[in-house]
Amino acid sequence: MAAEPQPKALTRKPLLLNKVEGSQDVVNMAAIVPKEDGVISVSEDRTVRVWLKRDSGQYWPSIYHAMPSPCSCMSFNPETRRLSIGLDNGTISEFILSEDYNKMTLVKNYQAHQSRVMMILFVLEMEWVLSTGQDKNFTWHCSESGQRLGGYRTSAGACGLQFDVETRHVFVGDHSGQVTILKLEQESCSLVTTFKGHTGGVTALCWDPIQRVLFSGSSDHSIIMWDIGGRKGTAIELQGHNDKVQSLSYAHHTRQLISCGADGGIVVWNMDVERQETPEWLDSDSCQKCDQPFFWNFKQMWDSKKIGLRQHHCRKCGKAVCGKCSSKRSSIPLMGFEFEVRVCDSCHESITDEERAPTATFHDSKHNIVHVHFDATRGWLLTSGTDKVIKVGVRSSSSC
């Protein structure tokens, strides 16, 4: 269900605190160092850098470490200062950072994949390192011994990865648009289920363990909220980007989803509202409003001596309608349509101004974002992108 016009950007926006520049290639991932005025980044230029803020107010590298292959992703655990780095050659390298963040010591290497590592998660409670790769494999290793505990082959190259500690369920999103749920044991896993709602590949996953909701972002520009805990199969669609969604982050304390994409947009979604599922599109050989035949309905065209019309669908009721009976457009924020979308004329009349009230705010980051990290304790938002720049901002209390 592709949304049509552009959304109106809101005037209030996050305040930019600093730009971190100096990488020679795409910064694939970066993270704010908790309780420190610092940033850790990994780049396609093969470097791992720890940037600390100096008295001048600028960030300068306290660590500059070159890896043998481009750095594709990372996972940092503040409690242990353990930094796991995924490489383009399939290796995961694990380091321990010193207390002053001026030194990193190699602990071990995992030969995890046959090609580029796409995502890493370090699970302290289990002492596991989870990873996905372009080789279509999900694997997990023991972080103490470095031993490979198990793996699962996905239907396509896997990018999204999330883990629920309580149930030991892992969520894997792949380029076919499918999400796979596995139950992990110490040295085995079992398939729980798979589900698919995107028309493009899954590019990012985000898990809310409290509400037990999974968010998936896709190259089809959409986000889907899957109600895992409700066990009712509810899937809510969110349309707020004009290009592929590349990263998701969730602020648990305010129940806000932050999505970023290749369009440079940062969208902050209020998930503390009662959202509605989009309806299934209905099949019909004629308009379900005026009964005019669609262009493939030769019999009715011949019988009525009328020219067949093109079929459309109302985004609110799902009925198959002709262009004349769906000439209006409206946003339907509670259904996830922050853009104006096609609705039939009767649904357009029924939508109130209150129902058109936005449930998301839009901000232009001015760069193609590949990763976002949100530090809830300080309200800091970090984005990294293809322009080799890391931006650190703070959300204005009035903007979200």
Side-chain angles (χ1 to χ4, degrees):
M1 300 182 188
E4 292 161 5
Q6 303 266 345
K8 293 181 180 179
L10 298 187
T11 54
R12 299 190 182 106
K13 60 182 182 180
L15 175 66
L16 181 65
L17 296 178
N18 226 312
K19 283 185 180 181
V20 183
E21 300 177 279
S23 298
Q24 303 303 308
D25 211 329
V26 178
V27 180
N28 285 316
M29 198 168 284
I32 298 166
V33 180
K35 301 178 182 178
E36 295 284 341
D37 214 341
V39 171
I40 303 171
S41 68
V42 296
S43 171
E44 204 69 27
D45 66 8
R46 300 192 299 116
T47 64
V48 181
R49 307 186 196 210
V50 179
W51 312 79
L52 295 181
K53 195 172 184 180
R54 307 302 183 186
D55 293 339
S56 64
Q58 298 299 310
Y59 287 91
W60 291 94
S62 61
I63 294 175
Y64 178 104
H65 185 88
M67 300 296 291
S69 181
C71 306
S72 53
C73 56
M74 58 171 262
S75 175
F76 179 63
N77 182 263
E79 295 177 50
T80 60
R81 298 189 307 281
R82 189 189 307 243
L83 177 64
S84 305
I85 301 165
L87 302 180
D88 190 62
N89 64 11
T91 303
I92 297 174
S93 295
E94 191 172 273
F95 297 85
I96 296 294
L97 300 185
S98 61
E99 288 188 29
D100 60 5
Y101 292 95
N102 282 306
K103 182 182 179 182
M104 55 191 287
T105 304
L106 179 65
V107 178
K108 63 174 72 73
N109 288 316
Y110 307 86
Q111 300 304 317
H113 297 276
Q114 298 299 313
S115 58
R116 188 178 180 89
V117 182
M118 298 302 294
M119 190 64 69
I120 307 172
L121 287 178
F122 169 65
V123 185
L124 179 61
E125 294 87 345
M126 314 294 178
E127 296 290 352
W128 286 348
V129 177
L130 316 180
S131 63
T132 58
Q134 278 188 343
D135 60 0
K136 302 182 183 180
N137 282 317
F138 159 74
T139 66
W140 73 104
H141 291 75
C142 173
S143 63
E144 292 298 294
S145 66
Q147 179 184 355
R148 187 180 189 273
L149 298 175
Y152 183 87
R153 189 161 179 83
T154 55
S155 59
C159 186
L161 178 64
Q162 291 288 282
F163 182 72
D164 182 57
V165 174
E166 182 182 343
T167 63
R168 296 190 180 186
H169 285 151
V170 65
F171 307 93
V172 181
D174 64 45
H175 292 314
S176 75
Q178 181 172 284
V179 177
T180 301
I181 303 181
L182 304 169
K183 174 67 179 261
L184 296 192
E185 303 299 341
Q186 186 61 27
E187 296 184 7
S188 66
C189 71
S190 55
L191 175 65
V192 177
T193 188
T194 61
F195 47 90
K196 186 173 181 179
H198 292 287
T199 57
V202 175
T203 50
L205 292 179
C206 187
W207 172 243
D208 174 10
I210 299 171
Q211 301 294 325
R212 307 201 66 74
V213 166
L214 181 72
F215 300 96
S216 61
S218 171
S219 58
D220 66 9
H221 310 180
S222 74
I223 300 162
I224 296 179
M225 181 183 80
W226 308 89
D227 183 7
I228 305 294
R231 300 181 182 276
K232 295 180 180 179
T234 306
I236 305 295
E237 189 175 347
L238 305 175
Q239 294 276 1
H241 288 277
N242 295 300
D243 207 332
K244 62 181 177 180
V245 180
Q246 301 198 121
S247 188
L248 300 170
S249 185
Y250 190 71
H252 299 277
H253 63 300
T254 57
R255 292 196 63 188
Q256 290 176 315
L257 177 71
I258 303 166
S259 63
C260 297
D263 56 1
I266 301 173
V267 185
V268 181
W269 304 86
N270 178 14
M271 302 311 300
D272 198 21
V273 294
E274 193 68 34
R275 293 190 176 271
Q276 303 168 16
E277 264 193 299
T278 53
E280 291 289 331
W281 284 5
L282 302 177
D283 292 325
S284 179
D285 289 329
S286 57
C287 176
Q288 293 180 299
K289 293 294 182 179
C290 69
D291 202 38
Q292 284 270 65
F294 294 132
F295 64 82
W296 62 83
N297 188 352
F298 299 117
K299 185 179 186 303
Q300 188 177 344
M301 283 193 291
W302 177 263
D303 292 344
S304 62
K305 302 296 188 291
K306 293 179 179 178
I307 297 173
L309 303 176
R310 183 184 173 190
Q311 177 184 263
H312 300 281
H313 283 92
C314 173
R315 290 344 188 238
K316 190 173 193 302
C317 67
K319 288 183 178 180
V321 289
C322 67
K324 186 178 179 181
C325 293
S326 58
S327 60
K328 304 291 198 311
R329 301 288 183 275
S330 176
S331 60
I332 320 174
L334 293 181
M335 282 188 170
F337 296 115
E338 296 289 337
F339 298 146
E340 289 192 340
V341 291
R342 181 184 295 272
V343 292
C344 66
D345 292 354
S346 56
C347 281
H348 186 271
E349 292 176 7
S350 71
I351 301 172
T352 64
D353 289 340
E354 288 78 10
E355 289 176 315
R356 290 189 178 95
T359 61
T361 59
F362 296 84
H363 314 285
D364 185 3
S365 71
K366 307 295 184 184
H367 70 156
N368 179 333
I369 300 172
V370 297
H371 183 69
V372 61
H373 178 239
F374 179 62
D375 180 354
T377 59
R378 288 177 283 189
W380 286 9
L381 187 70
L382 177 149
T383 60
S384 56
T386 57
D387 58 0
K388 313 168 191 176
V389 175
I390 302 167
K391 291 185 177 182
V392 181
V394 60
R395 291 192 305 162
S396 166
S397 59
S398 60
S399 68
C400 302

